[in-house]
């Protein structure tokens, strides 16, 4: 190779490295600018009354979470949904329950993305497990996210609203799904994001959320995993069974409760928000916010998923996500 060609090649590499460094700096600075411009350092609490337009301007438009107090104090569910009432009304209903060995459904386990065993059982049988009346290996969680309240437990829908009127008016649409949640304290929802505007209403107990804004995406690791499911054997232990002929699943391997900062050093730059949502409170969780969820034992909740708008904000997020995935560690 001639000296001219060698110098030209070295010059191209240097230019590419300089460009890569510039992109990485932009990705590091982008979340910092978001925090300075509009993000809150904590999750604020608000109370009605507010108009749909006011809520849209203050929270939905800016894509900021908040806890809403006294938003559904008129729901009969707040006073009625105890174990004895639920046994009486829906005890014989067969529902879908997620069962895992460790409480982590839809989460990374070593080199697999593992989904729960979906087990059909009566509601009373689930309550027997949650109340400790029977011993059972595994962690049980009602978490099926396909409008399971209206599809599996329609007898309970009269105790809540079919939708949140001011949210439906603000967005100009009804919710895509209304979901029912009930489980043990060991049940954990691993860090992820959803393409929904989410109103999460705690009926009994409390939920503990760790939240990260979409702008922190450059600091959040993603890897691709072979999908698998848990299967419980007759002896009570669980096997991990691969899902055949399936594409790899992109998922977040990091646990925000004990992040491995040596393996994922960029997470040091993230600024997670911690918020506890108590019975009678509602969390507005904006679309594309990353969240990790824990709960008190036997906590019951209902959430409303409104499909997000796939507008310019979504395009910007996709751009940031693509760049973060392309450049690697910052």
């Amino acid at each position: 190779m001639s000296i001219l060609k060698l110098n030209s090649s070295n010059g191209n590499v240097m230019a590419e490295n300089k460009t890569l460094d510039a992109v990485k700096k932009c990705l590091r600075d982008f979340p910092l600018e978001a925090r300075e411009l509009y993000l809150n350092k904590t999750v604020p609490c608000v109370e009605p009354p507010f108009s749909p337009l006011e809520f849209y301007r203050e929270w939905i438009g800016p894509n900021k979470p908040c806890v809403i107090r006294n938003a559904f104090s008129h729901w009969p569910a707040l006073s009625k949904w105890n174990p004895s009432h639920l046994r009486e009304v829906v005890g014989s209903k067969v529902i879908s329950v997620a069962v895992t060995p460790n409480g982590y459904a839809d989460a990374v386990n070593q080199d697999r993305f593992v989904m729960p065993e979906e087990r059909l059982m009566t509601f009373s049988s689930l309550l027997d497990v949650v109340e400790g009346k029977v011993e059972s290996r595994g962690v049980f969680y009602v978490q099926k996210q396909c409008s399971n309240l209206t599809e599996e437990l329609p007898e309970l829908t009269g105790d809540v609203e079919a939708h949140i009127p001011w949210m439906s008016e603000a967005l100009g649409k009804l919710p895509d799904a209304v979901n029912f949640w009930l489980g043990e304290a060991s049940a954990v929802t691993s860090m992820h994001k959803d393409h929904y505007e989410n109103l999460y209403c705690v009926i009994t107990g409390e939920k503990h959320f760790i939240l990260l804004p979409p702008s922190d995406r450059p600091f959040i690791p993603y890897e691709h995993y072979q999908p698998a499911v848990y299967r419980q054997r007759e002896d009570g232990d669980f096997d991990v069974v691969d899902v055949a002929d399936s594409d790899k699943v992109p998922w977040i391997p990091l646990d925000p409760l004990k992040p491995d900062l040596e393996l994922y050093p960029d997470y040091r730059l993230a600024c997670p928000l911690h918020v506890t949502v108590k019975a009678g409170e509602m969390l507005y969780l904006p679309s594309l916010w990353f969240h990790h969820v824990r709960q008190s034992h036997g906590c019951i909740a209902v959430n409303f998923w409104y499909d997000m708008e796939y507008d310019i904000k979504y395009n910007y997020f996709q751009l940031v996500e693509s760049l973060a995935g392309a450049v690697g560690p910052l």
Side-chain angles (χ1 to χ4, degrees), residues 4 9 32 68 119 138 150 152 197 212 215 272 274 279 292 295 298:
L4 182 61
S9 176
L32 305 178
I68 308 163
R119 187 175 303 177
T150 57
E152 294 189 345
E197 308 295 346
L212 285 157
S215 51
H274 296 254
H292 173 282
Q295 63 192 346

Side-chain angles (χ1 to χ4, degrees), residues 5 10 19 62 115 156 185 214 263 305:
K5 287 184 178 179
N10 290 339
T19 299
M115 296 168 281
L156 298 179
L263 191 58
W305 266 346

